[in-house]
């Protein structure tokens, strides 16, 4: 990309305020935190309910960015850079992408549906890339922002595009259609995702079909409702002359009719009829979703007129698609970011941004294979890769592959190997320690072997933490806040059991205002891990005050005794204006200054310069219980009264906050200057209506260690609490009460999920194991088991055990490995 900025003025209908008449841009950005922003970056300052990128323009100018698309020019930026002023920067980004897309003329496959878009996209890339230079959406970039960023990556060497389009409500697809302009449309499985954004299934299908307005071909699974929607579109002249290329298991009038599918040895044999001929196809999957996705790919290959032998050869090599970046603990205090199944230029840029946001160690290493299908010559490609590496301040590059090895001189810090085997042979000499390592390789390089070498060895039970879901939940609650209301996020109790430092890094990346922890050692751990956000300590012990001061933590002060103890140490250390947080007791009766102690508090603080009241806070007792909302209102009134008295008497204007997660939703008029988000971040709400808008964050998984069949009359586990009444197949799972699984969840009360089916827990939960009944489930040793996540949820478990989701989450032992992914 090389575009003259002035040429964009009419495209974006923008007002121009600039320093230079001819500026060329070769990179588009919407993220002020990216280290890839530079002098030839065009930065779109997106503004929404959760954030306003205009606030970071001055900082970007200082870093060398010269060109911006904005809705207004901040006062401190006038005369310092080039500005294209528009009414709506998101609309401008989309218009720019549509303009850029129209510069190219080659086949483009547009994918939409509820499920399977990313998998079909990756499989089509694999199937078609031997014959095309493919540009495709990186990861799952299919949103109103993701689609423009995907399309902007096209260059002159590409001759086939594959782009996803995802929507959550009506009137969104019209924007994406203009950007993708697909010549071939593929409608994948229509399921329940985003149902809340549509009146009914028909409306959702109609909206998705708008992507194919000008497509020459539409691939879809034939069924009554889709056919009715297509017919209506043709009648309304919204679809014009498209070839409808359908497939079906039941309708013989489909273009491709599936006569038979038969599973055998983890594979599926498919017999299908096309143009009155019968063909056979084998794919290496048995689940219904993969079969449907593979058939969608089959129809695209048929449209491209591939011969049967080529279709059979390529489709039998399809593979599971990893759609996430994982963060894992590594050997020798390393942190591993596993992207070991993908190596293309666009996804490298995304992975490097993720590396920066999640690095635990200052030293950064990238292990990178040869990059395929970039659209650039090798000379140009590796020059660009080397620049990316330099921009992201990577300390060491380990290149694997003949091509990257031949361009090693472009990197100032590279070690190269011809193959993964060569790397493994020299592994010990590379001395991995105290570094964050991004592992990024094309499938053919089998970088999973490198991940295995570098990953810390722990048992096979893991708690997977979805960082995307945390971001989603954070933004959901941010959207409820007033424009100037700050947010403190609670990461106490090891991030509610999910992992403190990793989540804190993500929150810092999202620029939350404060973090909250329970005890000083939690805050010290975060500060030692590199967290720079201010951290409030809710329950500081007087013995921890010296450490709190040393690590620049901010204590909550809740008693005269504690205040005097902290003042004594503060004076000894000659502190001035050290931030503290004053806790008021408005009815919780746990910690805090009561109304009858306020005068003494004021007298103690008056004229004091060693500390500064950073905030005044209180805690709601029943913000989630409608039967006690009047009590909550009385707390809020008392907080207003007492905090106002403090502010008036002391002449201060601190932050004030009283709302927790439930309070944010139920008492929007009491946001004051800040709110405190806790369990809601982790995807749990006490309100069933609100719960559907939150995403599950943690999934606790294990495996089957052993399967046995016991006869009627035999028992299972300690105390013989389960007695088989018939021949029963029992599987043992390596997780128990030492890992945080309550013994109350055993003996038939609870269950786990195996192969998408419920398996009851039988007998007593042991310290390190539990047993399940899998008599009706076709499973084997090594199969995955879900303990909680989407099903069962922690709320369901908590209700069954007559406790709260907090206890379920925070009980998960730290010996259970946390795996973070995006």
């Amino acid at each position: 990309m090389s575009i003259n900025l002035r040429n964009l003025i009419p495209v974006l209908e923008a007002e121009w305020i600039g320093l230079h008449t001819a500026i060329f841009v070769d990179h588009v950005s919407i993220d002020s935190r990216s280290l890839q922003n530079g002098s030839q970056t065009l930065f779109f300052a997106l503004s929404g309910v959760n954030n306003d990128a205009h606030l970071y323009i001055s900082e970007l100018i200082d870093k060398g960015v010269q060109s911006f698309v904005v809705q207004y020019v901040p006062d401190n930026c006038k005369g310092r850079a080039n500005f294209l002023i528009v009414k709506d920067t998101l609309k401008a980004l989309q218009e720019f992408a549509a303009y850029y897309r129209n510069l190219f003329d080659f086949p483009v496959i547009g994918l939409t549906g509820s499920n399977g878009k990313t998998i079909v996209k990756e499989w089509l890339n694999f199937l078609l890339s031997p014959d095309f230079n493919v540009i495709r959406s990186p990861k799952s970039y299919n949103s109103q922002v993701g689609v423009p960023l995907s399309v902007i990556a096209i260059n002159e060497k590409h001759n086939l595009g594959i782009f996803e389009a995802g929507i959550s409500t009506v009137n969104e697809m019209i924007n994406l259609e203009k950007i993708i302009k697909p010549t071939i449309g593929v409608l994948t499985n229509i399921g329940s995702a985003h149902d809340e954004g549509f009146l009914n299934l028909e409306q959702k299908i109609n909206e998705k079909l708008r992507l194919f307005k000008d497509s020459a071909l539409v691939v879809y699974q034939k069924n009554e409702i889709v056919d009715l929607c297509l017919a209506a579109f043709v009648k309304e002249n919204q679809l014009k002359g498209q070839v409808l290329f359908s497939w079906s298991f039941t309708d013989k009038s489909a273009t491709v009719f599936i006569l038979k599918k038969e599973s055998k040895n983890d594979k599926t044999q498919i017999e299908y009829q096309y143009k009155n001929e019968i063909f056979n196809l084998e794919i290496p999957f048995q689940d219904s979703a993969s079969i449907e996705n593979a058939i969608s790919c089959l129809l695209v290959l048929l449209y491209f007129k591939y011969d049967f032998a080529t279709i059979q050869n390529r489709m039998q090599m399809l593979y599971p698609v990893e759609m996430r970046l994982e963060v894992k603990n590594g050997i020798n205090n390393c942190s591993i970011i596993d992207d070991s199944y993908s190596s293309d230029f666009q996804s490298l840029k995304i992975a490097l941004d993720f590396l920066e946001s999640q690095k635990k160690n200052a030293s950064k290493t990238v292990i990178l294979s040869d990059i395929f299908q970039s659209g650039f010559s090798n000379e140009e490609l590796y020059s660009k890769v080397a620049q990316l590496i330099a921009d992201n301040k990577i300390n060491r590059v380990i290149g694997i592959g003949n091509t990257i090895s031949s361009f090693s001189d472009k990197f100032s810090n590279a070690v190269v190997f011809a193959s993964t085997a060569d790397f493994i042979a020299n592994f010990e000499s590379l001395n991995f320690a105290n570094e964050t390592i991004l592992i990024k390789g094309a499938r053919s390089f089998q970088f999973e072997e490198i991940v295995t070498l570098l990953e810390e060895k722990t048992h096979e039970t893991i708690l997977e933490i979805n960082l995307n879901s945390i971001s989603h939940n954070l933004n959901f609650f941010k959207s409820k806040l007033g424009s100037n209301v700050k947010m403190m996020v609670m990461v106490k109790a090891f991030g509610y059991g999910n992992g403190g430092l990793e989540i804190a890094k993500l929150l810092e990346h999202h620029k939350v205002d404060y973090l909250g922890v329970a005890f000083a050692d939690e805050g010290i751990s975060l500060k030692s891990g590199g967290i720079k956000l201010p951290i409030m300590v809710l329950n500081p012990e007087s013995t921890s005050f010296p450490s709190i001061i040393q690590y620049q933590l901010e204590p909550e002060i809740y008693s005269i005794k504690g205040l005097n103890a902290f003042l004594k140490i503060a004076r000894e250390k000659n502190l001035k204006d050290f931030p503290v947080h004053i806790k008021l007791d408005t009815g919780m009766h746990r910690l805090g200054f009561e109304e009858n102690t306020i005068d003494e508090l004021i007298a103690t603080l008056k004229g004091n310069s060693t500390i500064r009241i950073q905030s005044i806070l209180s805690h709601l007792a029943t913000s989630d219980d409608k039967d006690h909302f009047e009590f909550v209102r009385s707390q809020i009134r008392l907080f207003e009264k007492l905090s106002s008295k403090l502010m008036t008497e002391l002449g201060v204007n601190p932050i004030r906050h009283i709302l927790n997660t439930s309070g944010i939703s139920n008492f929007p008029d009491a946001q004051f200057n800040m709110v405190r988000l806790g369990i809601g971040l982790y995807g749990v709400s006490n309100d069933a209506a609100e719960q559907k808008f939150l995403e599950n964050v943690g999934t606790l998984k294990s495996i089957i260690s052993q399967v046995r069949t016991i006869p009627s009359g035999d028992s299972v586990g300690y105390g013989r609490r389960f007695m088989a009444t018939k021949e029963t197949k029992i599987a043992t799972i390596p997780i128990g009460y030492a890992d945080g699984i309550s013994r109350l969840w055993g003996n038939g009360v609870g269950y786990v999920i195996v192969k998408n089916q419920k398996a009851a827990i039988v007998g007593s939960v042991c310290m390190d194991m539990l047993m399940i009944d899998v008599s009706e489930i076709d499973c084997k040793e090594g199969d995955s088991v879900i303990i909680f996540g989407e099903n069962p949820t922690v709320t369901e478990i908590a209700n069954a055990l007559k406790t709260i989701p907090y206890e379920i989450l925070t009980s998960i032992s730290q010996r259970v490995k946390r795996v973070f992914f995006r």
Side-chain angles (χ1 to χ4, degrees), residues 728-751:
T728 306
K729 187 165 66 169
I730 299 294
T732 301
I733 315 302
I735 185 172
Y737 60 77
D739 301 292
I741 306 303
S742 172
R743 294 183 78 247
L744 297 174
W745 191 232
N747 293 316
V749 174
Y751 65 92

Side-chain angles (χ1 to χ4, degrees), residues 646-697:
L646 275 173
M647 293 163 65
T648 301
E649 295 282 341
L650 296 173
V652 295
N653 187 29
I655 300 167
R656 291 191 290 174
H657 48 112
I658 191 171
L659 298 185
N660 55 6
T661 295
S662 295
I664 293 170
S665 299
N666 294 329
F667 299 93
D669 293 336
Q671 293 179 0
F672 291 96
N673 312 103
M674 186 161 73
V675 298
R676 301 188 302 272
L677 178 62
I679 193 79
L681 181 76
Y682 306 99
V684 177
S685 172
N686 293 305
D687 184 337
E690 183 176 79
Q691 182 65 56
K692 69 180 183 179
F693 293 103
L694 300 179
E695 294 185 358
N696 179 66
V697 168

Side-chain angles (χ1 to χ4, degrees), residues 372-387:
F372 304 121
Q373 293 181 284
S374 69
F376 304 113
S377 67
N378 284 335
E379 176 73 27
E380 187 178 6
L381 169 63
Y382 289 100
S383 295
K384 288 178 175 290
V385 171
Q387 188 60 54

Side-chain angles (χ1 to χ4, degrees), residues 344-352 368 371 385 388 438 440:
D344 60 84
F345 186 65
Q346 280 304 108
S347 65
L348 174 61
K349 294 165 75 172
I350 295 168
L352 288 169
L368 183 65
I371 295 175
V385 171
L388 271 182
L438 170 63
K440 189 156 184 59

Side-chain angles (χ1 to χ4, degrees), residues 52-121:
D52 183 0
H54 294 78
L55 300 175
Y56 313 115
I57 289 176
S58 180
E59 178 185 325
L60 285 165
I61 293 172
D62 291 340
K63 292 179 179 177
V65 180
Q66 299 179 36
S67 306
F68 299 86
V69 178
V70 298
Q71 291 169 199
Y72 64 91
V73 180
D75 290 338
N76 61 347
C77 299
K78 291 176 179 176
R80 297 174 58 199
N82 303 302
F83 296 99
L84 291 167
I85 305 174
V86 298
K87 291 180 181 179
D88 184 331
T89 46
L90 173 57
K91 187 169 183 289
L93 175 65
Q94 294 172 340
E95 288 170 344
F96 171 77
Y99 159 78
Y100 188 73
R101 162 70 178 91
N102 284 328
L103 300 178
F104 301 91
D105 183 20
F106 52 71
V108 171
I109 300 172
L111 295 150
T112 192
S114 302
N115 309 300
K117 297 185 293 294
T118 301
I119 292 170
V120 172
K121 177 199 68 187

Side-chain angles (χ1 to χ4, degrees), residues 587-708:
M588 181 78 166
H589 296 332
R590 190 171 64 179
L591 293 173
F593 292 94
E594 293 182 280
E595 186 171 10
N596 61 7
T597 64
I598 295 299
D599 289 337
E600 185 179 2
L601 171 62
I602 291 170
T604 306
L605 289 173
K606 243 179 189 172
N608 192 297
S609 62
T610 56
I611 63 173
R612 179 184 77 253
I613 300 178
Q614 184 70 8
S615 85
I616 304 172
L617 67 145
S618 188
H619 201 105
L620 299 179
T622 59
S623 62
D624 59 340
D625 188 344
K626 291 181 179 179
D627 292 339
H628 295 284
F629 275 10
E630 187 50 45
F631 180 76
V632 174
R633 293 185 185 98
S634 72
Q635 283 193 273
I636 293 168
R637 288 192 295 269
L638 183 57
F639 178 66
E640 171 66 40
K641 174 186 172 182
L642 299 183
S643 61
S644 295
K645 182 175 181 178
L646 275 173
M647 293 163 65
T648 301
E649 295 282 341
L650 296 173
V652 295
N653 187 29
I655 300 167
R656 291 191 290 174
H657 48 112
I658 191 171
L659 298 185
N660 55 6
T661 295
S662 295
I664 293 170
S665 299
N666 294 329
F667 299 93
D669 293 336
Q671 293 179 0
F672 291 96
N673 312 103
M674 186 161 73
V675 298
R676 301 188 302 272
L677 178 62
I679 193 79
L681 181 76
Y682 306 99
V684 177
S685 172
N686 293 305
D687 184 337
E690 183 176 79
Q691 182 65 56
K692 69 180 183 179
F693 293 103
L694 300 179
E695 294 185 358
N696 179 66
V697 168
T699 301
L700 183 59
K701 290 183 174 181
S702 193
I703 65 161
I704 294 175
S705 297
Q706 191 174 37
V707 179
R708 60 169 52 79

Side-chain angles (χ1 to χ4, degrees), residues 147 225 231 243 305 433 498 584 651 653 673 741:
V147 168
I225 189 166
V243 174
K305 295 183 170 52
N498 293 283
L584 304 179
N653 187 29
N673 312 103
I741 306 303

